Amino acid sequence: MKDHYTHAFTELQIPHQRNCNSISFPSVLSPNPTNVPFSLSLLTKTITTQKKFLDSLLHRAGAVLFRGFDFKTAKDFNDVVEAFGYEEVAIHGMKQRYPEFVEHLEQHGLIYTLVLGEEDDLSSPIGRSWKSTFSIDDKNLAEERAAKLGTKLGVDEDGGVKTIMGPIPAIKYDKLRQRKIWFNSMVPAYIGWKGKQNDPVKVTFGDGKPLPADIIYDCLKIMEEECVAIPWQKGDVLLIDNLAVLHARRSSNPPRRILASLCK
């Protein structure tokens, strides 16, 4: 295992990383053993004081894994997220193989149709109810909130709330890196997002035309080929640049709890 010391952190090389243009993906940071014991409070202070270094590392690598720190609770995770001060909230393989498909995505975007139930379904990754999604239990007010987000609400034949999102861009331009990026959930929505009301989620081109199944499944193959699967360890925190890196999780056996925070 190779490492070198950067500021208060040790940057590690671990199994399962991938070398991309001489850059380790993801970058892995652990406590520098030459320092005093690395408490959570010291980590949050270090993140604040070395934010510029961490931002540059995230920009270079696309994802940073914090491993070996003393994270135990949801509050610990929240403290680390807040220390970064963010506001809460792979196109090249595909374009070579399917230029017309990618061009159609750029021009028209995607439409996702998802049915939300009355109550949360904890067994499904898309099992949030319309009440949880819009943080309200009045359907009329939920419809108003949805409209502000560019989402249309309707009633499904089974009484669930149907949400229609889009057309929304499937490919965006990253001004910081000055390149186009693949920014959509087309593949998991098409083949993998299932629940009591959705089997699977309906997703189409933004002009209403159906997506070609053969291309979707080939896109999945490309994603699997490019995938870097890092086995989780208890207490890991993974910082991801959502504009640079697609991310997902493998199936697992319970109990396992993963907390997430969306920031900007």
Side-chain angles (χ1 to χ4, degrees), residues 19-247:
N19 188 287
C20 304
N21 298 321
S22 301
I23 298 173
S24 296
F25 177 82
S27 180
V28 183
L29 296 182
S30 287
N32 189 328
T34 63
N35 289 340
V36 296
F38 222 114
S39 65
L40 182 65
S41 61
L42 177 57
L43 173 61
T44 55
K45 291 178 182 177
T46 303
I47 289 174
T48 301
T49 58
Q50 298 193 9
K51 176 75 162 36
K52 186 176 181 180
F53 157 70
L54 294 171
D55 280 345
S56 65
L57 185 62
L58 180 63
H59 173 69
R60 176 167 60 90
V64 180
L65 174 64
F66 292 84
R67 172 163 289 178
F69 297 92
D70 193 26
F71 305 126
K72 295 180 179 177
T73 67
K75 183 181 183 304
D76 294 344
F77 174 72
N78 185 67
D79 289 345
V80 171
V81 171
E82 290 188 348
F84 281 97
Y86 298 127
E87 294 181 45
E88 289 204 284
V89 94
I91 186 174
H92 184 68
M94 285 296 292
K95 194 164 188 176
Q96 284 184 332
R97 297 191 193 184
Y98 304 107
E100 293 181 0
F101 173 79
V102 173
E103 183 180 356
H104 202 93
L105 276 181
E106 284 194 78
Q107 290 180 351
H108 300 285
L110 291 166
I111 294 176
Y112 301 87
T113 302
L114 175 67
V115 179
L116 305 177
E118 286 286 328
E119 304 297 334
D120 292 338
D121 175 12
L122 300 181
S123 66
S124 170
I126 54 168
R128 293 186 71 188
S129 67
W130 62 266
K131 298 176 184 177
S132 295
T133 300
F134 299 105
S135 301
I136 203 165
D137 58 5
D138 184 302
K139 286 187 178 180
N140 291 327
L141 294 178
E143 187 172 359
E144 292 179 9
R145 291 190 178 183
K148 292 179 180 179
L149 298 173
T151 298
K152 299 176 183 177
L153 291 190
V155 179
D156 184 68
E157 58 186 14
D158 295 324
V161 173
K162 181 184 292 185
T163 65
I164 302 175
M165 297 172 283
I168 57 178
I171 295 170
K172 292 187 177 182
Y173 184 77
D174 183 353
K175 295 180 180 179
L176 191 62
R177 295 176 176 83
Q178 296 186 345
R179 60 181 174 87
K180 293 179 180 179
I181 56 170
W182 188 263
F183 195 81
N184 63 76
S185 302
M186 174 186 70
V187 173
Y190 191 91
I191 67 172
W193 284 355
K194 297 181 180 181
K196 293 179 180 178
Q197 287 85 21
N198 304 275
D199 189 17
V201 172
K202 181 181 178 182
V203 56
T204 67
F205 283 117
D207 58 2
K209 293 182 179 178
L211 297 173
D214 58 332
I215 294 181
I216 300 298
Y217 279 94
D218 200 36
C219 182
L220 173 62
K221 183 179 177 181
I222 293 171
M223 293 168 68
E224 290 286 355
E225 291 171 351
E226 297 297 323
C227 174
V228 178
I230 304 292
W232 280 107
Q233 293 185 9
K234 186 176 181 180
D236 281 351
V237 171
L238 181 62
L239 179 65
I240 298 174
D241 185 338
N242 205 34
L243 291 177
V245 180
L246 288 171
H247 52 92

Side-chain angles (χ1 to χ4, degrees), residues 5-26:
Y5 301 121
T6 308
H7 302 279
F9 302 106
T10 299
E11 188 169 358
L12 302 178
Q13 298 292 326
I14 65 172
H16 308 288
Q17 279 176 302
R18 177 174 292 187
N19 188 287
C20 304
N21 298 321
S22 301
I23 298 173
S24 296
F25 177 82

Side-chain angles (χ1 to χ4, degrees), residues 240-259:
I240 298 174
D241 185 338
N242 205 34
L243 291 177
V245 180
L246 288 171
H247 52 92
R249 63 177 177 83
R250 299 290 190 189
S251 299
S252 64
N253 295 321
R256 186 176 79 162
R257 187 185 187 202
I258 297 178
L259 304 177

